[in-house]
């Protein structure tokens, strides 16, 4: 199951996992938005279904997980990628902006993880990968987003401790600047062309380029493998340079 998989990092991750041999549930807010990712997987010979679900709603999440179990089998792999941005400086940030971002990122990951847990326990095997961000280390105008992404890292480490004895690993991938629809909309919102915005950020990236969704997908792919069974509770920064 990959949440927020209609586009961007989520779509690239779903497509990569399908190429790895997984049957993939493409989860996003409404089912029609999942169609493009599902089609890309099926056109390449993979197996995928699209399911609409609001990850902030517990009953909807439970229904989505059961739908996946019925259509594809027990969901023993989960990528918590669903996210939104509501950027603003603290004195301008509305309470609704704070609540929405925390809810989608953090509550969503909690609800999804809780709902898949019984299936992983029954299988004696499970993989949960949470998508954090380098913004977890702090970023101007993103107090809500940074707090949510830092919270995901804490959730990751706590669940790794709780679930390891049941054969479940929990890890975190934290992307840096990735060329997605979301980052392009951020550039437009602050009145810059994406090229200008990208050049400014790339100037501080040691490898000298923005990341691509497939870069993040490759990191997620590693954590889903059997070979990663002794790696849990880790945060892997995918940002073109060192982060601490």
């Amino acid at each position: 199951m990959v949440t927020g998989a209609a586009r961007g990092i989520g779509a690239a991750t779903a497509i990569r996992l399908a190429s790895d041999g997984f049957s993939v549930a493409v989860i996003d807010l409404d089912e029609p938005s999942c169609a493009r990712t599902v089609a890309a997987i099926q056109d390449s010979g993979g197996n995928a279904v699209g399911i609409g679900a609001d990850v902030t709603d517990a009953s909807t999440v439970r229904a989505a997980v059961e739908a996946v179990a019925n259509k594809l089998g027990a969901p023993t792999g989960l990528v918590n990628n669903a996210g939104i941005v509501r950027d603003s400086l603290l004195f301008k940030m509305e309470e609704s902006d704070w609540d929405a971002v925390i809810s989608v990122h953090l509550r969503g990951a909690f609800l999804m993880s809780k709902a898949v847990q019984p299936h992983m326990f029954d299988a004696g095997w499970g993989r949960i990968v949470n998508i954090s961000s380098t913004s977890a280390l702090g970023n101007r105008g993103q107090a809500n987003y940074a707090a949510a992404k830092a919270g995901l890292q804490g959730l990751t480490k706590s669940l790794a401790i709780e679930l390891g004895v049941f054969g479940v690993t929990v890890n975190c991938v934290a992307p840096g600047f990735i060329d997605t629809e979301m980052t392009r909309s951020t550039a437009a919102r602050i009145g810059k062309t994406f090229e200008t915005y990208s050049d400014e950020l790339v100037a501080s990236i040691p490898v000298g380029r923005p990341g691509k969704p497939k870069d993040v997908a490759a990191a997620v792919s590693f954590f889903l493998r059997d070979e990663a069974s002794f790696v849990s509770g880790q945060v892997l920064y995918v940002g073109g340079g060192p982060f601490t």
Side-chain angles (χ1 to χ4, degrees):
M1 298 183 72
V2 183
T3 68
R7 60 189 62 82
I9 290 171
T13 297
I15 292 168
R16 171 59 189 264
L17 295 180
S19 74
D20 289 344
F22 290 97
S23 293
V24 180
V26 177
I27 312 294
D28 217 292
L29 192 56
D30 60 85
E31 188 171 328
S33 67
C34 303
R36 184 171 60 177
T37 305
V38 171
I41 291 171
Q42 293 176 339
D43 290 347
S44 297
N47 186 26
V49 296
I51 295 177
D54 178 355
V55 298
T56 71
D57 182 79
S59 62
T60 302
V61 165
R62 288 193 294 269
V65 170
E66 290 312 304
V68 172
N70 292 332
K71 294 179 179 181
L72 297 178
T76 53
L78 170 65
V79 181
N80 286 310
N81 170 74
I84 60 173
V85 290
R86 297 288 187 272
D87 295 351
S88 186
L89 294 173
L90 180 62
F91 78 99
K92 294 181 179 179
M93 186 175 291
E94 300 290 341
E95 292 179 16
S96 60
D97 294 332
W98 175 273
D99 292 342
V101 170
I102 295 295
S103 187
V104 173
H105 291 269
L106 201 48
R107 175 180 168 85
F110 158 69
L111 291 175
M112 289 296 303
S113 299
K114 184 176 181 180
V116 301
Q117 174 183 311
H119 295 282
M120 295 180 177
F121 283 8
D122 289 345
W125 190 97
R127 298 287 185 269
I128 298 174
V129 181
N130 297 317
I131 305 300
S132 179
S133 169
T134 56
S135 291
L137 302 173
N139 199 25
R140 178 180 174 82
Q142 287 194 318
N144 49 3
Y145 187 78
K149 291 304 194 182
L152 281 172
Q153 296 188 16
L155 177 67
T156 295
K157 293 178 182 295
S158 296
L159 294 186
I161 295 169
E162 288 187 23
L163 306 183
V165 69
F166 301 102
V168 179
T169 66
V170 188
N171 289 287
C172 194
V173 174
F177 174 49
I178 309 295
D179 183 355
T180 63
E181 292 178 23
M182 182 180 288
T183 53
R184 287 177 177 270
S185 67
T186 297
R189 180 180 54 78
I190 62 177
K192 295 182 179 180
T193 66
F194 181 74
E195 290 70 23
T196 298
Y197 181 65
S198 177
D199 288 346
E200 292 173 354
L201 294 176
V202 167
S204 63
I205 298 176
V207 302
R209 68 168 177 89
K212 300 176 181 179
K214 68 179 183 180
D215 295 322
V216 183
V220 175
S221 172
F222 165 72
F223 285 130
L224 267 289
R225 298 175 192 170
D226 281 329
E227 292 90 337
S229 63
F230 202 56
V231 182
S232 195
Q234 300 304 304
V235 179
L236 174 59
Y237 286 96
V238 181
F243 293 87
T244 57

